[in-house]
Amino acid sequence: MKTAAIITAAGAGVRMGGDRVKQFMDLGGRPLLAVTVERFDLSPDIEGIILVAPPGKVEYCREGIVKKYDFAKVEKVVAGGDRRQDSVRLGLEATEGHYPLVLIHDGVRPFVPTDLISRIVKATHQYRAVIPALTARETIKEANQAGLVVKTHDRRTLWVVQTPQAFRYEDLLEAHRRAREENWEEMTDDALLMERIGIPVNIIEGSEENIKITTPQDLELARFLIGRMPKVPKMR
């Protein structure tokens, strides 16, 4: 199926601190977001990219990221909404239905391996919704508001979810339509939307490299990692 990536980068990054949002912070001499976009621009499984930027930063993303780094697959840069799910919906609408399969990816996951993108796309030949995840490695406890443990979960059944998450365009569009009409609370990921409308979601093994940059410590780790990575030549 013809496939597009919708890269969401409209968040404020409040946990990072500082006066610059995390997706534009320096990572190996480039904005972090440019490192993320490059992974999809180089992927043979992706034919188009929609970049969802913070309101007020659309022109910067067009000129300072897409044009500057020659990302040929980026078709549109659109402004995001107040919530993540609003930003995804706006990115989805920007595809205008030209792509039967869409991958939704966090703009602050810059190290997504191209082989993971390939495995996700391949899995959609069999499943309508596919997400990457890693098994929980530590004991997970549930506590009440007073901080008292109420339950210890079996970590063998628990997964730490990543992006990109892949869905049929029509499925995701319908899920977002219902979310707006029925005023669903903020959805933490798009797989939850699929669950709400009754579409089974299949998990495939994610990647340890596919970290999300949320805190200053995450950014320091990312800078260490990118310093050890070989330069990938750009091929067209």
Side-chain angles (χ1 to χ4, degrees):
M1 287 183 286
K2 196 174 180 183
T3 304
I6 298 172
I7 301 176
T8 60
V14 292
R15 280 181 284 179
M16 183 64 73
D19 57 359
R20 197 176 192 189
V21 292
K22 59 189 175 183
Q23 54 268 44
F24 302 134
M25 289 183 173
D26 179 81
L27 182 58
R30 293 180 293 169
L32 189 158
L33 182 57
V35 180
T36 304
V37 173
E38 183 179 55
R39 295 298 178 109
F40 291 87
D41 201 59
L42 292 173
S43 169
D45 298 284
I46 301 298
E47 292 160 285
I49 299 171
I50 304 295
L51 181 56
V52 186
K57 291 291 186 180
V58 171
E59 190 60 26
Y60 167 74
C61 286
R62 287 189 183 126
E63 296 296 321
I65 292 181
V66 176
K67 185 176 180 180
K68 182 175 181 178
Y69 297 103
D70 189 28
F71 293 135
K73 291 182 183 178
V74 178
E75 297 180 354
K76 295 179 183 178
V77 180
V78 299
D82 293 334
R83 303 171 301 173
R84 182 185 184 279
Q85 70 194 66
D86 299 322
S87 296
V88 172
R89 175 179 52 79
L90 291 166
L92 188 66
E93 291 172 352
T95 69
E96 299 179 352
H98 295 161
Y99 297 91
L101 182 68
V102 291
L103 271 61
I104 313 299
H105 187 66
D106 297 324
V108 290
R109 288 187 187 270
F111 301 137
V112 54
T114 52
D115 75 287
L116 176 59
I117 297 171
S118 294
R119 289 194 289 112
I120 290 168
V121 171
K122 184 177 180 180
T124 63
H125 300 166
Q126 184 175 357
Y127 304 102
R128 284 171 68 178
V130 177
I131 63 173
L134 298 173
T135 54
R137 291 183 173 181
E138 301 183 32
T139 300
I140 307 294
K141 293 186 182 290
E142 181 181 341
N144 61 21
Q145 291 184 339
L148 297 174
V149 172
V150 295
K151 185 177 182 180
T152 299
H153 293 270
D154 182 356
R155 67 184 182 187
R156 293 173 298 179
T157 66
L158 299 176
W159 295 79
V160 180
V161 176
Q162 302 179 334
T163 66
Q165 300 181 353
F167 311 100
R168 302 291 193 273
Y169 167 81
E170 294 292 345
D171 290 342
L172 191 55
L173 191 67
E174 171 63 14
H176 278 282
R177 181 191 66 78
R178 285 187 53 186
R180 291 188 75 189
E181 290 181 355
E182 300 173 18
N183 295 315
W184 294 353
E185 71 277 7
E186 185 171 0
M187 301 284 105
T188 54
D189 73 353
D190 293 277
L192 184 52
L193 285 167
M194 294 294 104
E195 296 166 40
R196 288 285 293 268
I197 66 172
I199 292 177
V201 177
N202 186 74
I203 290 176
I204 69 166
E205 187 71 22
S207 169
E208 296 285 356
E209 298 173 41
N210 192 19
I211 62 173
K212 185 176 182 180
I213 312 303
T214 303
T215 67
Q217 292 74 25
D218 297 332
L219 184 59
E220 287 304 311
L221 174 60
R223 286 170 174 165
F224 171 76
L225 293 173
I226 201 167
R228 300 181 63 183
M229 290 180 178
K231 297 293 183 182
V232 180
K234 195 160 191 175
M235 301 178 66
R236 295 292 180 204

